[in-house]
């Protein structure tokens, strides 16, 4: 099969499009013919940090068809259309075929395209778990999404509105209209205005992008407010992990989220998309042999939605 394989000597991107042996599922796996895959920060960050999958093939989010199933598989059968998040199961999405356990997958609704479905898992799951699990979101709360233009941010805006919140989106000029179209009640263009210096305060702040000091975020939290770091530049992530707990004194909490694959949550996300409650924003599409270009583009941090 064709696959995009990590090779540290590969020039210029260490990702080589080549022939590799087609994987064989064990008794607890299915073999999937991949139709579409999407790029996530988990892919390029793992590569930059030297955390390389065993098969040396990145790609967490997939959508495709089950080609064969192991002896212990009970829920899925050949021909089933599925989507899944493979971040905790060895990656493998940037290839023509991959193997995965049943618990990593859910059925793809017939009305959703493979591309749209492949854009959902990791980004939408991260937004859901940040708002619901960490933020304890409730109807009528004021939610700020710092970094509403990318994959996670675009889903966060839609999910916060689904939960009945009043949403303020923070993004660059080019993403203002997109954030409005996704349902944001207010949009702040960070190139023209520093949202951390406004008098407005929020019940939940999701920091997807925007490397502001933690103290600045804390200052615009309401009493009992919750800040959740779910992305951004590595310095921003490390600061939140190191100092967030120290700054969680009193009633304001400074938290971080590492999203965890969850089949039930993925079913929720897919159902919301099937019902038209959320939709992926797809910026660009690349053929498999141009995966290195797609990874480079997403890692630059300017993608509008998913790639």
């Amino acid at each position: 099969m064709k696959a995009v394989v990590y090779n540290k000597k590969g020039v210029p991107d260490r990702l080589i499009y080549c022939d590799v042996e087609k994987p064989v599922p064990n008794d607890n796996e299915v073999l999937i013919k991949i139709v579409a895959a999407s790029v996530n920060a988990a892919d390029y960050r793992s590569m930059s940090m030297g955390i390389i999958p065993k098969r040396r093939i990145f790609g967490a989010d997939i959508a495709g068809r089950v080609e064969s199933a192991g002896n212990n598989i009970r829920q899925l059968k050949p021909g089933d259309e599925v989507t899944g998040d493979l971040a905790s199961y060895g990656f493998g999405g940037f290839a023509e075929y991959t193997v995965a356990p049943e618990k990593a997958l859910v059925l793809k609704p017939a009305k959703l395209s493979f591309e749209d479905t492949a854009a959902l898992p990791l980004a939408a799951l991260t937004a859901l778990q940040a708002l619901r699990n960490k933020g304890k979101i409730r109807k009528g709360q004021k939610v700020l999404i710092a970094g509403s233009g990318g994959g996670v941010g675009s889903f966060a805006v839609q999910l916060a509105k689904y939960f009945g919140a009043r949403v303020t989106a923070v993004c660059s000029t080019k993403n203002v209209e997109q954030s409005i179209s996704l349902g944001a009640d207010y949009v702040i263009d960070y190139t023209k205005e520093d949202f951390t210096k406004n008098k407005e305060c929020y019940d939940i702040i999701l920091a997807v992008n925007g490397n502001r000091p933690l103290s600045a975020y804390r200052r615009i939290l309401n009493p009992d407010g919750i800040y959740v770091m779910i992305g951004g530049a590595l310095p921003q992530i490390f600061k939140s992990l190191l100092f967030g707990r120290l700054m969680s004194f009193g009633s304001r909490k400074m938290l971080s989220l590492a999203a965890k694959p969850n089949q039930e949550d993925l079913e929720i996300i897919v159902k919301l998309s099937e019902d038209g409650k959320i939709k992926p924003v797809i910026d660009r599409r690349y053929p498999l042999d141009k995966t290195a270009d797609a990874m480079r583009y997403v890692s630059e941090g300017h993608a509008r939605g998913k790639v």
Side-chain angles (χ1 to χ4, degrees):
M1 70 172 185
K2 294 292 186 183
V4 177
V5 179
Y6 174 84
N7 183 332
K8 65 180 180 180
K9 297 181 180 179
V11 177
D13 296 292
R14 296 176 289 174
L15 294 173
I16 308 300
Y17 179 70
C18 60
D19 289 299
V20 299
E21 189 173 341
K22 186 177 173 181
V24 177
N26 62 32
D27 287 346
N28 299 305
E29 294 176 326
V30 296
L31 175 68
I32 303 161
K33 180 174 177 57
I34 299 171
V35 178
S38 69
V39 181
N40 290 282
D43 299 307
Y44 65 79
R45 283 212 181 100
S46 295
M47 187 171 74
S48 66
M49 296 170 69
I51 304 172
I52 311 303
K54 184 178 180 180
R55 296 193 297 272
R56 296 186 294 129
I57 300 171
F58 287 97
D61 286 353
I62 63 157
R65 296 183 181 89
V66 174
E67 182 152 294
S68 63
N71 292 331
N72 296 333
I73 299 300
R74 297 291 178 262
Q75 298 173 332
L76 299 174
K77 63 185 185 302
D80 282 345
E81 296 181 348
V82 295
T83 186
D85 169 10
L86 308 183
S88 293
Y89 305 103
F91 289 79
F94 299 153
E96 291 181 317
Y97 295 88
T98 193
V99 291
E102 264 187 330
K103 62 184 177 181
L105 306 166
V106 300
L107 291 172
K108 180 190 82 67
K111 69 184 291 185
L112 297 182
S113 72
F114 284 101
E115 288 185 5
D116 281 353
T117 312
L120 293 172
L122 191 50
L125 209 69
T126 298
L128 174 66
Q129 292 179 2
L131 288 166
R132 185 196 62 195
N133 299 13
K134 293 285 187 176
K136 312 295 184 186
I137 189 169
R138 301 188 307 276
K139 185 177 181 179
Q141 286 188 311
K142 294 165 64 176
V143 176
L144 179 93
I145 313 292
S148 63
V152 176
S154 59
F155 284 122
V157 170
Q158 297 175 79
L159 286 167
K161 288 301 295 180
Y162 169 75
F163 284 118
R166 288 178 289 163
V167 179
T168 297
V170 179
C171 58
S172 63
T173 307
K174 71 174 185 177
N175 291 321
V176 168
E177 289 301 320
Q178 173 183 296
S179 296
I180 293 172
S181 72
L182 295 176
D185 298 286
Y186 310 98
V187 180
I188 297 173
D189 182 346
Y190 69 76
T191 68
K192 300 177 181 178
E193 183 180 347
D194 186 348
F195 63 92
T196 66
K197 294 182 179 178
N198 290 341
K199 293 181 179 179
E200 198 72 36
C201 290
Y202 304 91
D203 300 300
I204 301 172
I205 297 174
L206 295 194
V208 188
N209 277 314
N211 194 10
R212 299 294 202 282
L214 287 178
S215 57
Y217 287 115
R218 193 178 188 281
R219 188 170 57 246
I220 57 172
L221 276 177
N222 279 327
D224 299 320
I226 299 173
Y227 160 93
V228 187
M229 186 280 299
I230 53 176
L234 285 175
Q236 175 183 336
I237 293 171
F238 290 137
K239 287 175 187 175
S240 290
L241 292 173
L242 287 171
F243 303 116
R245 181 171 298 190
L246 294 174
M247 298 184 68
S248 293
F249 54 87
S251 61
R252 295 176 177 88
K253 303 302 179 187
M254 310 292 288
L255 308 177
S256 300
L257 171 80
K260 292 180 171 59
N262 182 298
Q263 194 176 47
E264 290 183 3
D265 283 354
L266 187 53
E267 287 174 343
I268 290 170
I269 289 298
V270 170
K271 184 66 166 63
L272 286 173
S273 185
E274 182 183 21
D275 292 344
K277 304 298 185 183
I278 63 172
K279 62 180 180 180
V281 176
I282 297 179
D283 181 352
R284 298 184 182 185
R285 295 165 171 82
Y286 292 81
L288 183 61
D289 62 345
K290 299 298 183 184
T291 299
D293 295 338
M295 285 269 276
R296 189 186 320 113
Y297 175 63
V298 175
S299 69
E300 290 169 354
H302 303 301
R304 301 175 67 183
K306 296 288 294 180
V307 170

